[in-house]
Structure formats: C-alpha cells, structure tokens
Amino acid sequence: MKNSVSPDDLSVLLTVLREGGFRAASRRLGIAPSNVSATVTRIEAQLGTPVLRRTTRSLHLTDAGQLLVDRVRPLLSALEAACHEVATLGAQVQGRLKLNVPGAVMPDILPSLLAHYRARHPNVEVEIVVESGLIDIVAMGYDAGIRYGSVLEQDMISIPIGPRRQQMVCAASPEYLEARGVPQTPEDLTAHDAIRYRLDDGAMLPWVLQNKGRSVRVEPKNALILSVGALNTGLKYAQAGLGVIHTFHNWLGDDFDAGRLVPILPDWRSELDGPRLYYPNRFTPAPLRAFIEICQGES
C-alpha cells in the first residue's frame, strides 16, 4: 500500500525534529546519518509528498509534514510509553525526562528535587530547556513544563512544585547605597538605577511592591536589562554595584548574611503564587510519573 508508513520510520522522523537535524538524530538513534536521510526519503515516497524542507543549515516541516506530525506524535508517544511501561514493569524506571522551565526555578527549586530524583532513578536521563513563555509542550516534544501563574491549556494537569507562595524584594550593594542613598519609599526607587528583566514576549518584568494592602507599581531607571532566562545572574551585577535589583527573597539570604547586598524597603514586598508543574491529561510516561511522585512527596 503506497501511503502506508511504518511506525518505526515515523519515529525516526520525530527524532530528527526533536534533535534538530539528521546527524543529531543519528547519534540519538545509534544509526548512520545516511540511514536517517533514507528513512525520511522513504516516508516522502510512500506518502507522495515532501514532509521536510531541507537546506545545508536548517530543516522545516512542510504543511503536509506538519499535519502528519501533529497527528502521529501523540499516537507514537502513547505507543512508546505503553511498551516501555510493560517492558520495565517491576524494574527500575529508565528513559528520558525532558522539561521546559523558567529560569526562576533553576537555582534553588529544581536542584534538590532532581538530586532526590536521580538518587532514586539513576537510569533516567534528564534534559532541561529554559524558557519563560507558555509553549505547547506536546508539540515541542517535552514531557512536562513548569510555569508561574500562567493560564494553562484545558487538557493539562498541574501540581504545585516548590513553595506555594514566593516573595520578591529589593536589594542593592552597600557601595551603591553609600553613593546614591537609601530609598525610604517605593517612589524613591524611580530616581535609582535598576537591574531589570525582559520577558520573552518583550515586556519588562514589573516592579509591584505591596505593604498592608497598598500596592505601588514602580518604574525605576533601567541601568541593565537582562533576559528573564538569566534571572539568577542579576545578583552578580547587583553585588558589583550596578543598581537596585528586585528578585526572590529566598535567593538573597546568603548575600544578606555576608553583607554583599542590603535589603531595601523590607516592609514592601511582591507576593506571587509558586511555580506549577504541568503535563498532558493523557498517558504519563514512567520517568515523568516518578518525577511527579518526588514533587508531591516534597510538598
């Protein structure tokens, strides 16, 4: 039958897309790049239409290829998960766990969870990609994502991961405050240099300070703007005296204790809900299910 394509060939195509190229896919699959290319060519011959546009530097799905991938990806994922679960029944969890997360969870929330996870499941390969925007984790090949306060798709399940509530506060180096003075009110911050973060959609991460029911949105002078993916690196610039930083309170304990940074307006804080792990409301692969158990055990 001309338009019948084997699941194995389709799995190779999905690996090419997930890994970003033929050579990377060949390394992941343990086969020659020529075999990967021949498999894609065979798919196109059987379907009678191109599925990939290939250049020397990039590859992209055609419209037909996109339709094919959208239809078969969840089916193959379910098949792979079912076979893997049966094959490893009663054995150690193994495979890969791929997460898409914001930079805010990288310094202190994920390390302890992943240390616990890896100690319990050493045969699982964990891959983390840092992004801040809400994405289609299924279409992009992720097992799960982590986000703050995002409106998640209806077919997603989400659970808390890490602290239920987090606070953000302002701080600066002693040298900066000695030279520029210590702000006494939120409005005073508008005259100070600030280390700010830009979200993936181009908007600036806002400074909204709260105290006893009062909320003030502050627009300081931007001395340094960083990508939100580099959220925790801003502390180094604050320590160097570039300006005031508005960041997670739980990141600042060591710097406050050592005197590298000084709290500013300690009674004025921003509060937000803690991060949540979200994943498809369908099947749950064993590596992800084991990670969920770790997260729920830490709650």
Side-chain angles (χ1 to χ4, degrees):
M1 187 173 179
K2 181 180 178 182
N3 60 358
S4 177
V5 180
S6 76
D8 286 344
D9 284 357
L10 291 171
S11 181
V12 170
L13 173 62
L14 293 182
T15 303
V16 170
L17 296 173
R18 186 171 61 244
E19 300 298 327
F22 284 53
R23 291 192 177 279
S26 73
R27 289 192 295 269
R28 168 64 62 180
L29 296 169
I31 60 178
S34 58
N35 289 343
V36 175
S37 179
T39 299
V40 174
T41 299
R42 181 165 60 248
I43 292 173
E44 294 176 327
Q46 290 170 328
L47 295 178
T49 185
V51 296
L52 287 178
R53 295 189 186 93
R54 285 162 271 186
T55 69
T56 56
R57 293 188 176 183
S58 65
L59 54 86
H60 303 280
L61 285 168
T62 63
D63 290 343
Q66 188 66 61
L67 176 63
L68 175 67
V69 167
D70 289 344
R71 294 290 181 88
V72 304
R73 177 180 273 137
L75 300 176
L76 288 180
S77 296
L79 178 62
E80 180 181 349
C83 293
H84 180 73
E85 187 169 342
V86 171
T88 60
L89 193 63
Q92 283 189 321
V93 176
Q94 53 188 315
R96 181 168 70 164
L97 175 66
K98 190 173 183 180
L99 304 175
N100 187 285
V101 311
V105 303
M106 294 294 287
D108 57 349
I109 293 176
L110 275 184
S112 59
L113 288 172
L114 289 179
H116 189 183
Y117 181 75
R118 285 281 302 160
R120 185 178 293 183
H121 306 294
N123 294 327
V124 177
E125 175 188 274
V126 179
E127 181 175 353
I128 299 173
V129 175
V130 176
E131 289 184 271
S132 63
L134 188 62
I135 68 164
D136 185 338
I137 56 173
V138 176
M140 299 300 291
Y142 295 98
D143 296 299
I146 299 174
R147 288 297 183 271
Y148 282 86
S150 297
V151 179
L152 304 179
E153 297 178 30
Q154 292 183 353
D155 62 345
M156 293 288 166
I157 299 172
S158 72
I159 61 170
I161 178 173
R164 298 297 180 267
R165 297 284 291 174
Q166 287 188 273
Q167 293 183 334
M168 298 185 74
V169 299
C170 292
S173 71
E175 295 78 11
Y176 174 87
L177 294 175
E178 183 177 354
R180 299 290 299 274
V182 179
Q184 300 300 312
T185 68
E187 291 78 7
D188 290 346
L189 289 169
T190 60
H192 281 264
D193 295 337
I195 299 168
R196 301 287 300 275
Y197 296 99
R198 192 181 296 282
L199 298 169
D200 290 346
D201 64 6
M204 300 290 288
L205 198 64
W207 287 22
V208 180
L209 308 183
Q210 301 159 345
N211 181 29
K212 297 179 181 179
R214 185 184 172 205
S215 179
V216 178
R217 186 183 181 105
V218 178
E219 290 295 339
K221 295 189 298 183
N222 298 332
L224 175 66
I225 299 174
L226 300 172
S227 165
V228 75
L231 196 59
N232 63 312
T233 62
L235 293 177
K236 296 295 185 183
Y237 296 101
Q239 293 163 12
L242 268 71
V244 178
I245 192 168
H246 183 237
T247 192
F248 289 103
H249 182 263
N250 52 299
W251 289 4
L252 295 167
D254 290 342
D255 287 320
F256 287 164
D257 291 343
R260 291 186 293 265
L261 293 174
V262 176
I264 296 173
L265 302 170
D267 293 334
W268 289 86
R269 303 183 175 209
S270 303
E271 285 207 359
L272 67 159
D273 290 332
R276 299 183 70 86
L277 178 79
Y278 68 100
Y279 50 95
N281 185 14
R282 293 199 298 267
F283 65 91
T284 306
L288 175 58
R289 188 165 60 249
F291 184 65
I292 293 168
E293 292 172 357
I294 296 291
C295 295
Q296 292 176 327
E298 293 288 319
S299 61

